[in-house]
PDB file of all heavy atoms in Angstrom:
ATOM      1  N   TYR X  98      -2.345   1.425   1.880  1.00 98.00           N
ATOM      2  CA  TYR X  98      -2.143   2.789   2.353  1.00 98.00           C
ATOM      3  C   TYR X  98      -2.615   3.801   1.289  1.00 98.00           C
ATOM      4  O   TYR X  98      -2.337   3.666   0.145  1.00 98.00           O
ATOM      5  CB  TYR X  98      -0.679   3.112   2.654  1.00 98.00           C
ATOM      6  CG  TYR X  98      -0.072   2.275   3.737  1.00 98.00           C
ATOM      7  CD1 TYR X  98       0.494   1.067   3.491  1.00 98.00           C
ATOM      8  CD2 TYR X  98      -0.130   2.737   5.054  1.00 98.00           C
ATOM      9  CE1 TYR X  98       1.100   0.349   4.506  1.00 98.00           C
ATOM     10  CE2 TYR X  98       0.454   1.967   6.116  1.00 98.00           C
ATOM     11  CZ  TYR X  98       1.079   0.725   5.805  1.00 98.00           C
ATOM     12  OH  TYR X  98       1.618   0.030   6.804  1.00 98.00           O
ATOM     13  N   CYS X  99      -3.338   4.792   1.746  1.00 97.00           N
ATOM     14  CA  CYS X  99      -3.708   5.907   0.911  1.00 97.00           C
ATOM     15  C   CYS X  99      -2.556   6.932   0.918  1.00 97.00           C
ATOM     16  O   CYS X  99      -1.971   7.225   1.972  1.00 97.00           O
ATOM     17  CB  CYS X  99      -5.015   6.579   1.455  1.00 97.00           C
ATOM     18  SG  CYS X  99      -5.615   7.936   0.492  1.00 97.00           S
ATOM     19  N   ASN X 100      -2.373   7.543  -0.225  1.00 97.00           N
ATOM     20  CA  ASN X 100      -1.317   8.541  -0.363  1.00 97.00           C
ATOM     21  C   ASN X 100      -1.723   9.767  -1.156  1.00 97.00           C
ATOM     22  O   ASN X 100      -2.441   9.621  -2.125  1.00 97.00           O
ATOM     23  CB  ASN X 100      -0.052   7.867  -1.031  1.00 97.00           C
ATOM     24  CG  ASN X 100       1.025   8.859  -1.389  1.00 97.00           C
ATOM     25  OD1 ASN X 100       1.122   9.355  -2.498  1.00 97.00           O
ATOM     26  ND2 ASN X 100       1.852   9.187  -0.311  1.00 97.00           N
ATOM     27  N   ALA X 101      -1.280  10.896  -0.765  1.00 95.00           N
ATOM     28  CA  ALA X 101      -1.458  12.117  -1.527  1.00 95.00           C
ATOM     29  C   ALA X 101      -0.094  12.782  -1.670  1.00 95.00           C
ATOM     30  O   ALA X 101       0.613  12.974  -0.683  1.00 95.00           O
ATOM     31  CB  ALA X 101      -2.392  13.036  -0.777  1.00 95.00           C
ATOM     32  N   ASN X 102       0.218  13.107  -2.947  1.00 95.00           N
ATOM     33  CA  ASN X 102       1.531  13.577  -3.245  1.00 95.00           C
ATOM     34  C   ASN X 102       1.469  14.816  -4.189  1.00 95.00           C
ATOM     35  O   ASN X 102       0.763  14.797  -5.139  1.00 95.00           O
ATOM     36  CB  ASN X 102       2.392  12.529  -3.860  1.00 95.00           C
ATOM     37  CG  ASN X 102       3.759  12.982  -4.193  1.00 95.00           C
ATOM     38  OD1 ASN X 102       4.118  13.345  -5.362  1.00 95.00           O
ATOM     39  ND2 ASN X 102       4.655  12.984  -3.151  1.00 95.00           N
ATOM     40  N   PHE X 103       2.190  15.843  -3.850  1.00 92.00           N
ATOM     41  CA  PHE X 103       2.362  16.983  -4.683  1.00 92.00           C
ATOM     42  C   PHE X 103       3.781  17.423  -4.658  1.00 92.00           C
ATOM     43  O   PHE X 103       4.400  17.644  -3.557  1.00 92.00           O
ATOM     44  CB  PHE X 103       1.481  18.156  -4.232  1.00 92.00           C
ATOM     45  CG  PHE X 103       1.657  19.427  -4.984  1.00 92.00           C
ATOM     46  CD1 PHE X 103       1.266  19.571  -6.275  1.00 92.00           C
ATOM     47  CD2 PHE X 103       2.310  20.466  -4.368  1.00 92.00           C
ATOM     48  CE1 PHE X 103       1.469  20.763  -6.978  1.00 92.00           C
ATOM     49  CE2 PHE X 103       2.506  21.702  -5.013  1.00 92.00           C
ATOM     50  CZ  PHE X 103       2.096  21.796  -6.363  1.00 92.00           C
ATOM     51  N   ALA X 104       4.412  17.556  -5.803  1.00 89.00           N
ATOM     52  CA  ALA X 104       5.831  17.910  -5.773  1.00 89.00           C
ATOM     53  C   ALA X 104       6.111  18.830  -7.061  1.00 89.00           C
ATOM     54  O   ALA X 104       5.630  18.597  -8.156  1.00 89.00           O
ATOM     55  CB  ALA X 104       6.719  16.612  -5.966  1.00 89.00           C
ATOM     56  N   THR X 105       6.864  19.817  -6.749  1.00 89.00           N
ATOM     57  CA  THR X 105       7.454  20.735  -7.761  1.00 89.00           C
ATOM     58  C   THR X 105       8.953  20.884  -7.406  1.00 89.00           C
ATOM     59  O   THR X 105       9.445  20.350  -6.470  1.00 89.00           O
ATOM     60  CB  THR X 105       6.727  22.082  -7.805  1.00 89.00           C
ATOM     61  OG1 THR X 105       7.025  22.817  -6.618  1.00 89.00           O
ATOM     62  CG2 THR X 105       5.195  21.896  -7.865  1.00 89.00           C
ATOM     63  N   ALA X 106       9.519  21.716  -8.276  1.00 91.00           N
ATOM     64  CA  ALA X 106      10.946  22.051  -8.041  1.00 91.00           C
ATOM     65  C   ALA X 106      11.091  22.848  -6.711  1.00 91.00           C
ATOM     66  O   ALA X 106      12.196  22.857  -6.160  1.00 91.00           O
ATOM     67  CB  ALA X 106      11.578  22.760  -9.174  1.00 91.00           C
ATOM     68  N   LEU X 107      10.081  23.480  -6.239  1.00 92.00           N
ATOM     69  CA  LEU X 107      10.160  24.362  -5.179  1.00 92.00           C
ATOM     70  C   LEU X 107       9.660  23.811  -3.808  1.00 92.00           C
ATOM     71  O   LEU X 107      10.062  24.196  -2.752  1.00 92.00           O
ATOM     72  CB  LEU X 107       9.410  25.679  -5.439  1.00 92.00           C
ATOM     73  CG  LEU X 107       9.858  26.509  -6.633  1.00 92.00           C
ATOM     74  CD1 LEU X 107       8.958  27.674  -6.865  1.00 92.00           C
ATOM     75  CD2 LEU X 107      11.319  26.912  -6.453  1.00 92.00           C
ATOM     76  N   ILE X 108       8.710  22.963  -3.907  1.00 91.00           N
ATOM     77  CA  ILE X 108       8.034  22.450  -2.708  1.00 91.00           C
ATOM     78  C   ILE X 108       7.466  21.065  -2.909  1.00 91.00           C
ATOM     79  O   ILE X 108       7.125  20.635  -4.066  1.00 91.00           O
ATOM     80  CB  ILE X 108       6.906  23.427  -2.203  1.00 91.00           C
ATOM     81  CG1 ILE X 108       6.500  23.147  -0.791  1.00 91.00           C
ATOM     82  CG2 ILE X 108       5.735  23.366  -3.212  1.00 91.00           C
ATOM     83  CD1 ILE X 108       5.620  24.248  -0.219  1.00 91.00           C
ATOM     84  N   LYS X 109       7.385  20.303  -1.819  1.00 92.00           N
ATOM     85  CA  LYS X 109       6.848  18.927  -1.915  1.00 92.00           C
ATOM     86  C   LYS X 109       5.990  18.641  -0.737  1.00 92.00           C
ATOM     87  O   LYS X 109       6.343  18.975   0.445  1.00 92.00           O
ATOM     88  CB  LYS X 109       8.004  17.945  -1.994  1.00 92.00           C
ATOM     89  CG  LYS X 109       7.570  16.495  -2.036  1.00 92.00           C
ATOM     90  CD  LYS X 109       8.711  15.603  -2.468  1.00 92.00           C
ATOM     91  CE  LYS X 109       9.932  15.679  -1.558  1.00 92.00           C
ATOM     92  NZ  LYS X 109      10.981  14.744  -1.974  1.00 92.00           N
ATOM     93  N   TYR X 110       4.868  17.989  -0.995  1.00 92.00           N
ATOM     94  CA  TYR X 110       4.015  17.573   0.039  1.00 92.00           C
ATOM     95  C   TYR X 110       3.696  16.061  -0.136  1.00 92.00           C
ATOM     96  O   TYR X 110       3.466  15.648  -1.247  1.00 92.00           O
ATOM     97  CB  TYR X 110       2.645  18.263   0.088  1.00 92.00           C
ATOM     98  CG  TYR X 110       2.736  19.761   0.317  1.00 92.00           C
ATOM     99  CD1 TYR X 110       2.770  20.676  -0.769  1.00 92.00           C
ATOM    100  CD2 TYR X 110       2.763  20.305   1.659  1.00 92.00           C
ATOM    101  CE1 TYR X 110       2.855  22.036  -0.519  1.00 92.00           C
ATOM    102  CE2 TYR X 110       2.808  21.650   1.803  1.00 92.00           C
ATOM    103  CZ  TYR X 110       2.874  22.498   0.726  1.00 92.00           C
ATOM    104  OH  TYR X 110       2.929  23.860   0.942  1.00 92.00           O
ATOM    105  N   ASN X 111       3.704  15.338   0.964  1.00 94.00           N
ATOM    106  CA  ASN X 111       3.451  13.883   0.874  1.00 94.00           C
ATOM    107  C   ASN X 111       2.749  13.463   2.122  1.00 94.00           C
ATOM    108  O   ASN X 111       3.250  13.653   3.206  1.00 94.00           O
ATOM    109  CB  ASN X 111       4.742  13.120   0.702  1.00 94.00           C
ATOM    110  CG  ASN X 111       4.509  11.703   0.238  1.00 94.00           C
ATOM    111  OD1 ASN X 111       3.771  11.417  -0.714  1.00 94.00           O
ATOM    112  ND2 ASN X 111       5.181  10.738   0.855  1.00 94.00           N
ATOM    113  N   TYR X 112       1.556  12.883   2.003  1.00 95.00           N
ATOM    114  CA  TYR X 112       0.757  12.444   3.098  1.00 95.00           C
ATOM    115  C   TYR X 112       0.405  10.960   2.993  1.00 95.00           C
ATOM    116  O   TYR X 112       0.143  10.469   1.892  1.00 95.00           O
ATOM    117  CB  TYR X 112      -0.552  13.252   3.154  1.00 95.00           C
ATOM    118  CG  TYR X 112      -0.308  14.752   3.282  1.00 95.00           C
ATOM    119  CD1 TYR X 112      -0.401  15.521   2.132  1.00 95.00           C
ATOM    120  CD2 TYR X 112      -0.005  15.351   4.479  1.00 95.00           C
ATOM    121  CE1 TYR X 112      -0.216  16.917   2.255  1.00 95.00           C
ATOM    122  CE2 TYR X 112       0.168  16.697   4.593  1.00 95.00           C
ATOM    123  CZ  TYR X 112       0.052  17.507   3.432  1.00 95.00           C
ATOM    124  OH  TYR X 112       0.214  18.857   3.571  1.00 95.00           O
ATOM    125  N   TRP X 113       0.379  10.309   4.106  1.00 96.00           N
ATOM    126  CA  TRP X 113       0.022   8.892   4.148  1.00 96.00           C
ATOM    127  C   TRP X 113      -1.049   8.627   5.184  1.00 96.00           C
ATOM    128  O   TRP X 113      -1.137   9.257   6.243  1.00 96.00           O
ATOM    129  CB  TRP X 113       1.256   8.066   4.583  1.00 96.00           C
ATOM    130  CG  TRP X 113       2.336   8.037   3.583  1.00 96.00           C
ATOM    131  CD1 TRP X 113       3.440   8.825   3.550  1.00 96.00           C
ATOM    132  CD2 TRP X 113       2.480   7.135   2.452  1.00 96.00           C
ATOM    133  NE1 TRP X 113       4.242   8.492   2.514  1.00 96.00           N
ATOM    134  CE2 TRP X 113       3.654   7.468   1.801  1.00 96.00           C
ATOM    135  CE3 TRP X 113       1.709   6.096   1.984  1.00 96.00           C
ATOM    136  CZ2 TRP X 113       4.081   6.753   0.625  1.00 96.00           C
ATOM    137  CZ3 TRP X 113       2.106   5.437   0.825  1.00 96.00           C
ATOM    138  CH2 TRP X 113       3.281   5.779   0.210  1.00 96.00           C
ATOM    139  N   GLY X 114      -1.925   7.679   4.892  1.00 97.00           N
ATOM    140  CA  GLY X 114      -2.865   7.237   5.827  1.00 97.00           C
ATOM    141  C   GLY X 114      -2.283   6.179   6.717  1.00 97.00           C
ATOM    142  O   GLY X 114      -1.092   5.789   6.584  1.00 97.00           O
TER     143      GLY X 114
END
Side-chain angles (χ1 to χ4, degrees):
Y98 298 89
C99 180
N100 173 262
N102 181 261
F103 173 73
T105 69
L107 299 177
I108 195 168
K109 178 165 61 179
Y110 298 95
N111 196 48
Y112 302 99
W113 292 96

